[in-house]
Amino acid sequence: MKKLHAEHDRQLRDLNTLALPAVAELFFDTRTEDELVLALQHCSNIGELPLILGGGSNIVLSGKSIPACIRIASQGIRVLSKTSEHVVLTVSAGVNWNDLVEHCLHAGFYGLENLALIPGSVGAAPVQNIGAYGVELDQFVERVHCRWIENGTRQSYNAEQCEFGYRDSVFKRQLRDKVVITDVDLRLALFGSVNIEYAALQQELGKLLDPSPAQLRDAVVAIRRRKLPDPDTLPNAGSFFKNPIVSRQKMQNLREHYSKVVYYPTASSDEFKLAAGWLVDQAGWRGFNAGNVGVHQEQALVLVNHNHAAGLELLELAARIQDSVMALFGVELEIEPRIY
Ligand code: FAD
Ligand code: NAP
C-alpha cells in the first residue's frame, strides 16, 4: 500500500487569493486520484471532514483552525471523443482554469473564451457554475466525475444531475461536503461562434463586429486586467456578493424610487437580476477602506485585503455592507465565496 505524505500545521495564507491566515492541522497535497483516495481514507479514519482546496480563489478563511485540508493538484487534459463538429475533453480537477482556456484556444476547441482569466481550478468550476460575460460553464459540461468523501467510491453526474443554476449547482447544495470532483468532461466546438452580448465586450471590441475566438479572449483579458485587482498584488476573491434575483413587484418598487437602478431580465419573466456592484456603489462603499481591508475603487463588488488582514475583519466589513444595502434598498446581498 502506497503512503501519502501529510504536512502538519500548514499555514494556508499562501493558498488562498485573499491571503487570509488559517492553519490546517493536517494537509495533503494530492497529485493523483490514488493519492486523493488515500487522503480521503485517512480523514475518514480520524473522523474529520476535509476542506477540499483548489486555487483558493472562492473561499474566505475566518481564521478558525482547519482540522484537515486536501489540495487537489491532479493534472491532465485528454480527448475523449471527437466528431466533425465537436470534441469532448476529460480534464483533471487540478488543472488551472485559465491554462485550460488557453490550451483549448491553441488546439482549436472553442467556447470558453468569455471565461478567460477566471482564477482557480477546473475541479471547482462546476461548484459555482463559473460564469462571465454571458457564458456559463454548464453550456459545456457533459459529465462531472467525483469520489465520495466518506468512502472514496466513484460516482459521476450528467449535466442535468448537476442541477446547474446561476452561480450554483448541486455541489453547493445536496452534494456539499459529500463529494470531491476529480475530472470534468467538457464538450467544445471545433468551429468558433462567439458571444459578444455584453456591452462591455462590444465597447472593447469597437469596430470589430465579427471577432475571432482569440480576439474575443484578448478583449475579455484586457477588460479584466483593467477592472479587477490581481490577487498577487492586491489579495481578493473576485465578486464578494452575488447579483440578487428579485421579483417583478420588488423590481417595480425599486424602479419607482431609483430610476437608474441597474437590472437585467432572467430566464423567468417574473424575476430580475440586480447588479450587486451598483447597489454597493450607491450605498457609498466604493473605495472605502477600514483598517486592513477595503472595497476596490474600480469595482465595488470586490473586497480586498490591503495588509495582512484576518478573515473576521473582512467578514465584519461584508456584514456592514450587507446591512447598509438592506437598509437602503431592502435587498439581501448573499456572500459568494464559501466561508470556513
Ligand atoms: P477554491 O476557492 O479552492 O474552492 C471554492 C469552493 O469549491 C470550496 O468550497 C471548495 O471546497 C470547493 N472545491 C474546490 N475544488 C473542488 C473539487 N475538486 N471538488 C469539490 N469541491 C471543490 N468566478 C466566476 O464565476 N466568474 C468570474 O468571472 C470570476 N472572476 C474572479 C476574479 C478574481 C480576481 C477572483 C479572485 C475570483 C473570481 N471568481 C470568478 C471566483 C473563483 O475564481 C471561481 O469560483 C473559481 O471557480 C474558484 O476556483 P478555486 O479552484 O480557486 O476554488
Ligand atoms: P459588468 O460588465 O460591469 O456588469 C455588471 C453586472 O451586470 C454584472 O454582474 C453582469 O451580470 C450584469 N450584466 C452586464 N451586462 C449584462 C447583460 N447583457 N445581460 C445580463 N447581465 C448583464 O460586470 P463586471 O463586474 O465587470 O464583470 C464582468 C463579468 O465577469 C460578469 O459576467 C461577472 O459575473 C464576471 N466576474 C465574476 C466575478 C466573480 O468572482 N464571480 C469576478 C469578476 C468578474 P453577471 O455577473 O451575471 O454576468
Side-chain angles (χ1 to χ4, degrees):
M1 177 92 153
K2 272 198 226 159
K3 278 205 125 187
L4 180 65
H5 175 68
E7 280 178 61
H8 293 268
D9 297 330
R10 169 70 155 90
Q11 174 54 251
L12 300 179
R13 188 188 273 118
D14 62 331
L15 295 181
N16 70 96
T17 60
L18 270 166
L20 297 173
V23 170
E25 290 166 35
L26 260 184
F27 179 83
F28 300 95
D29 207 6
T30 62
R31 291 171 189 281
T32 64
E33 210 166 320
D34 285 349
E35 288 181 353
L36 168 65
V37 171
L38 284 176
L40 289 174
Q41 251 168 27
H42 188 96
C43 293
S44 176
N45 290 343
I46 59 169
E48 295 293 0
L49 177 70
L51 184 170
I52 305 299
L53 186 64
S57 62
N58 215 20
I59 57 170
V60 180
L61 297 176
S62 64
K64 275 195 296 212
S65 178
I66 309 282
C69 174
I70 302 178
R71 191 165 82 109
I72 310 297
S74 52
Q75 298 296 314
I77 305 175
R78 64 190 174 88
V79 173
L80 196 63
S81 63
K82 205 170 178 183
T83 65
S84 55
E85 290 182 352
H86 289 101
V87 63
V88 178
L89 301 179
T90 293
V91 190
S92 303
V95 171
N96 171 273
W97 174 262
N98 192 52
D99 288 352
L100 173 68
V101 174
E102 290 302 313
H103 171 95
C104 290
L105 257 181
H106 289 122
F109 306 153
Y110 303 119
L112 304 181
E113 301 76 29
N114 298 48
L115 305 177
L117 224 59
I118 296 181
S121 61
V122 167
V127 176
Q128 84 150 359
N129 186 21
I130 56 168
Y133 300 102
V135 171
E136 291 181 350
L137 181 82
D138 62 358
Q139 295 170 228
F140 312 101
V141 171
E142 286 264 303
R143 291 195 86 75
V144 175
H145 304 277
C146 300
R147 291 275 186 169
W148 278 85
I149 289 180
E150 196 181 24
N151 54 20
T153 311
R154 275 204 180 94
Q155 183 146 4
S156 65
Y157 302 87
N158 63 27
E160 198 185 326
Q161 292 167 322
C162 291
E163 296 176 17
F164 288 118
Y166 180 59
R167 306 289 187 269
D168 193 32
S169 76
V170 74
F171 306 106
K172 273 195 170 180
R173 291 178 278 106
Q174 292 97 312
L175 293 179
R176 175 179 158 137
D177 292 332
K178 298 274 187 264
V179 297
V180 181
I181 294 167
T182 56
D183 302 272
V184 182
D185 294 351
L186 297 174
R187 187 171 193 263
L188 301 172
L190 296 178
F191 302 98
S193 88
V194 296
N195 176 334
I196 54 168
E197 187 190 313
Y198 272 38
L201 284 180
Q202 292 165 18
Q203 263 165 30
E204 187 68 26
L205 288 160
K207 293 197 177 106
L208 210 56
L209 295 177
D210 187 19
S212 68
Q215 285 169 324
L216 175 56
R217 179 273 318 267
D218 288 347
V220 169
V221 167
I223 306 174
R224 293 184 74 104
R225 289 227 161 98
R226 235 181 7 246
K227 256 184 119 168
L228 289 168
D230 176 355
D232 286 340
T233 46
L234 185 53
N236 72 89
S239 305
F240 207 84
F241 304 104
K242 284 194 205 173
N243 287 330
I245 308 293
V246 297
S247 67
R248 175 176 288 277
Q249 180 62 53
K250 177 74 191 171
M251 198 60 245
Q252 235 160 4
N253 292 345
L254 283 169
R255 283 179 61 197
E256 277 163 22
H257 290 93
Y258 304 95
S259 59
K260 291 191 175 152
V261 59
V262 180
Y263 67 99
Y264 295 89
T266 66
S268 156
S269 61
D270 288 329
E271 291 183 326
F272 293 86
K273 179 177 77 176
L274 284 170
W278 186 86
L279 300 173
V280 177
D281 189 4
Q282 293 301 301
W285 291 101
R286 185 148 62 92
F288 177 86
N289 290 310
N292 300 312
V293 294
V295 180
H296 192 52
Q297 179 64 43
E298 303 304 318
Q299 170 50 287
L301 263 192
V302 178
L303 303 196
V304 298
N305 172 1
H306 283 298
N307 186 25
H308 302 293
L312 287 182
E313 232 178 319
L314 194 82
L315 290 170
E316 267 168 34
L317 173 60
R320 288 176 64 190
I321 295 173
Q322 284 172 309
D323 287 349
S324 77
V325 166
M326 175 53 84
L328 198 56
F329 302 106
V331 172
E332 190 175 339
L333 282 184
E334 192 188 333
I335 292 180
E336 182 183 286
R338 177 147 173 210
I339 301 165
Y340 288 94

